[in-house]
Amino acid sequence: MQAFIVALIVIGCTAYAVWTLMPSAARRALAQLLLRVRWPDRIARVWRREAASTGGCGGCDSCGDAVPRDSHTIKVHRRLPR
């Protein structure tokens, strides 16, 4: 019985690690695939949120339109030998 509980914990931790380290596009596709199965509402809500997520950039697709920051001049202050 103890080995079975440990196996469940290891499987759960592995699933969590794989889900966390998975690229967001793959996570989104897997969540959409999992939504095809009938789940309890609490679990389905998580899959729906993941399937609708746009990733870390917010999904605006305007990265190419970004205005560059003002350039700053770098001053190098050399130490004088003693």
Side-chain angles (χ1 to χ4, degrees):
M1 184 66 167
Q2 183 178 0
F4 179 71
I5 293 172
V6 170
L8 285 177
I9 291 171
V10 169
I11 290 171
C13 290
T14 302
Y16 175 77
V18 168
W19 182 264
T20 303
L21 297 174
M22 188 183 303
S24 62
R27 195 169 38 234
R28 193 170 35 251
L30 183 61
Q32 290 172 351
L33 182 70
L34 289 170
L35 275 173
R36 294 180 182 174
V37 178
R38 195 166 181 89
W39 295 96
D41 189 44
R42 186 175 183 180
I43 297 173
R45 197 177 321 130
V46 173
W47 297 137
R48 280 192 293 271
R49 184 181 65 230
E50 287 294 332
S53 73
T54 57
C57 67
C60 62
D61 292 333
S62 65
C63 294
D65 301 334
V67 178
R69 293 184 181 185
D70 296 333
S71 61
H72 298 288
T73 305
I74 298 175
K75 294 182 180 179
V76 178
H77 299 279
R78 299 196 185 271
R79 288 186 163 187
L80 297 174
R82 291 185 182 203

